[in-house]
Amino acid sequence: MNEVLTASAGQEADVAPDRAARGKPLGFVQGVPVYASGRAPAYLRTKAQLGAVRRKPAAGQQPTAYVYAHWYGTRIALWNPEESVKMRPLSALQRRQMQQRRTCTDCGEVFPVPVWGMCGVCEDRTARRRADLRRRTCQDCGTVFQTPTPAKSWGEGMCLACDERLERGRRVARSLAERSCRRCLVQLYPLTVWAAMSERERAMAGWHCTACDREIERERAQAQRRADRARWDDLGPAIAWAQKILADPDAYAVLDTETTGLTATSRIVEIAVTTASGTVLLDTLLNPGEPIPAQASSIHGITDAMVQDAPTFSEILPRLTEALAGRRIVIYNRAYDTGRLLWELHLHHQDRGTVDFTKHPRYGTGRHSAAQAWLDAQEWEECAMEQYAAFYGDWHDYWGSYTWQKLNGGHRALGDTRAVIRRLEEMAAYPSPFNPVAEPAAA
C-alpha cells in the first residue's frame, strides 16, 4: 500500500506546471481540446513560435490543442515542440537577407523584427529634414535659402524675385486681357496668359472682337435653327396661329381682366378689350361690390377708392357684348378669364331673379344657364398662353408639357392686352428654320 501511494505521488510530481492546462476546454474539434485565450498548457507552441527556433511540425503530426486568440473566434493550432523536427539550416544568403530586413538603412541599428528600410526614429528625422528643405527652397527657380522663402502674393514656396517676376507677368496678362478679344486670347494663349488669370479677371475679359462676334452669332443661330427644326411640330402651328390673327387683326379681339383674387368667386375690378391691331374697344374699372384684398391690390395697384365710382359689370355688359360681337376672342390664360366672366354673368342674372341653375362640368357648382349661353355665343380662340409656351419651347420634364411664360404686361388690363399683341407679333415674325439664311457680308 505504501508503494502505491509513493508511485502516485511520484507521478503528480513528474507533471511540470507548464504542461498542466490552466482552464477547462471550451470544447473539442475532432477530439482535440479547444481552450480560451491564456488557458492552454504553456509548453505548447504555434507554428510561428516553432519557426523562431528553427523547428516545424513533423510530417503527420496533429495539433495538440487549439486556442481562441481573439474575442471574435480566431482559432490557432498549438503543437507539441517535443514532437516537432528541426528545419533545414539557413544559408549564408538567407541570413544576410534577414539581417538586412532587420537593419535600419540610415542609422544601421539592428532590430529584433524587420523594419524594411528605415526605423521610425530615422523616418521622422528625414521627414522633418524634407519639410525644412521644402520651406527653404523656391518652387519656381529651385534656389535653396537659409530661411523659409518669404513670398508675398503667391504663397509659401517662392522667393521674392520669382514672386515679383510672376506678378509682373500677371500685370502683363491682365493688360493683354483688357486689350484683347476673349475668344482670340484663349485660342492664341491657352496655357500661358489665360491660365495665369483669375476667374474674376477672365470674367472681366468677356468682350469679343467684331469677327468673333459674327462667328459666335452664326454658331448661336445655327444651334437655334437645329433646335427649331427638332420641335417644328409644336413651333410651326404656334407661328401659323399668330400669323393668322395678325393677317386680319380687326376680326380678333384681345381681352384681359384684373380681379380680386384667384378663387372661383373672385370678382372683376378692371376689363379691357382691344383689336389685334391695338384699337381700344373697351377699357374700364369695375366696382366689384366687395372690398379688394390688399394682396390683390399689391399686384395690380387697383384699390377700393379707385373703383368706388366705377360702373358694375352689369352696367358695362352691353358694351362688352358689342365689343366682342363678330370677333374671335384671344385671351392669355383663357380658362381663368372665362371663369371670371362666367361668375360675373351668374351674379348678373341672379340679381335679376332669372334663376335657373344647372351643374357646370368644370366647377361642379351651380351656374346660371343664361351665363353659360352668353359664353357659348362668343367665338373663343385657343389660349394665347399655351400657344406662346409652345413657341417659347421651355419644356418641363416633370409635367410633360411646355412651361407657361409670364406676360409681363404690368398687371393692368389694357397693358396686358397690348403685351399679348406684342407676343403675337413676336411669334408671327419668327423666321422659319427651313428657309435659307443669307451670310452677312464681310466688313
Side-chain angles (χ1 to χ4, degrees):
M1 185 65 177
N2 293 333
E3 294 177 358
V4 174
L5 294 175
T6 304
S8 176
Q11 291 177 358
E12 292 180 357
D14 290 341
V15 178
D18 62 342
R19 290 180 175 272
R22 289 169 285 183
K24 294 183 179 181
L26 300 177
F28 293 87
V29 176
Q30 297 179 354
V32 179
V34 181
Y35 294 94
S37 178
R39 293 292 182 263
Y43 79 99
L44 299 179
R45 297 290 185 266
T46 64
K47 281 188 177 181
Q49 291 171 337
L50 291 176
V53 294
R54 301 302 299 165
R55 297 187 72 86
K56 66 180 179 178
Q61 181 181 352
Q62 298 297 322
T64 305
Y66 292 100
V67 64
Y68 286 118
H70 302 285
W71 64 269
Y72 46 82
T74 300
R75 193 171 64 206
I76 299 177
L78 298 177
W79 309 83
N80 187 350
E82 297 174 357
E83 299 177 6
S84 62
V85 296
K86 291 184 178 181
M87 298 175 64
R88 187 175 59 186
L90 295 175
S91 65
L93 177 60
Q94 289 175 326
R95 287 195 295 271
R96 284 197 303 271
Q97 291 175 344
M98 292 179 64
Q99 181 80 1
Q100 290 174 357
R101 289 195 292 269
R102 294 186 291 111
T103 304
C104 175
T105 57
D106 190 62
C107 64
E109 183 178 354
V110 180
F111 293 86
V113 294
V115 295
W116 305 101
M118 287 190 295
C119 62
V121 176
C122 294
E123 283 185 352
D124 292 341
R125 183 169 58 250
T126 303
R128 289 194 296 271
R129 289 173 181 171
R130 291 198 194 99
D132 178 68
L133 181 63
R134 185 171 57 252
R135 287 192 296 267
R136 295 186 294 108
T137 304
C138 175
Q139 301 302 315
D140 191 64
C141 64
T143 305
V144 180
F145 297 88
Q146 295 297 327
T147 58
T149 53
K152 294 182 179 179
S153 59
W154 288 86
E156 184 181 2
M158 190 171 296
C159 64
L160 290 176
C162 293
D163 185 75
E164 294 176 358
R165 176 175 54 78
L166 289 178
E167 184 59 29
R168 287 195 300 271
R170 190 181 183 86
R171 288 195 295 268
V172 172
R174 188 183 302 114
S175 174
L176 180 61
E178 293 173 353
R179 295 180 288 107
S180 303
C181 165
R182 177 176 181 177
R183 187 185 179 98
C184 297
L185 187 64
V186 176
Q187 293 176 349
L188 295 178
Y189 309 100
L191 300 177
T192 54
V193 175
W194 190 253
M197 295 170 62
S198 64
E199 292 295 332
R200 183 174 179 272
E201 291 169 344
R202 293 180 183 179
M204 293 172 59
W207 64 279
H208 302 94
C209 61
T210 303
C212 289
D213 273 337
R214 285 199 301 266
E215 181 66 20
I216 293 172
E217 181 60 27
R218 186 181 66 83
E219 293 174 356
R220 186 202 63 79
Q222 289 178 350
Q224 185 63 47
R225 285 168 62 84
R226 288 193 296 268
D228 292 344
R229 290 171 183 170
R231 66 180 196 93
W232 184 249
D233 290 343
D234 297 328
L235 177 63
I239 295 175
W241 176 78
Q243 292 173 344
K244 177 193 68 174
I245 294 175
L246 296 183
D248 189 9
D250 292 335
Y252 293 86
V254 182
L255 182 145
D256 189 81
T257 63
E258 300 299 329
T259 63
T260 59
L262 300 176
T263 65
T265 58
S266 297
R267 303 295 301 275
I268 298 176
V269 297
E270 187 179 37
I271 187 169
V273 180
T274 67
T275 64
S277 60
T279 303
V280 179
L281 303 177
L282 176 65
D283 179 25
T284 180
L285 294 171
L286 297 181
N287 190 336
E290 62 183 40
I292 303 176
Q295 185 178 4
S297 296
S298 65
I299 296 176
H300 50 57
I302 302 174
T303 61
D304 293 333
M306 297 171 61
V307 300
Q308 183 177 3
D309 299 328
T312 64
F313 180 82
S314 298
E315 293 173 350
I316 63 95
L317 181 57
R319 295 171 54 194
L320 176 61
T321 305
E322 180 182 358
L324 301 179
R327 292 185 172 91
R328 297 188 62 85
I329 307 168
V330 179
I331 301 178
Y332 205 83
N333 195 356
R334 186 185 71 179
Y336 174 75
D337 286 86
T338 54
R340 304 288 61 73
L341 290 172
L342 184 63
W343 178 247
E344 292 289 351
L345 289 166
H346 159 64
L347 297 178
H348 167 75
H349 289 288
Q350 187 180 49
D351 291 341
R352 281 150 181 76
T354 56
V355 181
D356 182 14
F357 288 101
T358 58
K359 189 173 182 180
H360 193 273
R362 176 178 176 83
Y363 298 95
T365 57
R367 293 293 185 270
H368 198 274
S369 59
Q372 189 63 49
W374 187 92
L375 287 179
D376 293 341
Q378 312 304 320
E379 298 183 12
W380 305 97
E381 270 293 327
E382 298 180 16
C383 178
M385 183 174 63
E386 296 179 358
Q387 292 291 325
Y388 187 77
F391 168 80
Y392 194 84
D394 185 9
W395 182 259
H396 200 293
D397 291 331
Y398 180 81
W399 297 111
S401 62
Y402 290 108
T403 303
W404 295 344
Q405 303 300 316
K406 293 182 178 180
L407 183 59
N408 296 326
H411 292 292
R412 291 300 297 266
L414 184 60
D416 286 350
T417 59
R418 289 171 176 168
V420 173
I421 295 174
R422 290 195 297 269
R423 292 287 174 86
L424 293 173
E425 293 173 347
E426 176 187 354
M427 296 166 64
Y430 196 80
S432 172
F434 299 99
N435 294 337
V437 179
E439 293 292 338

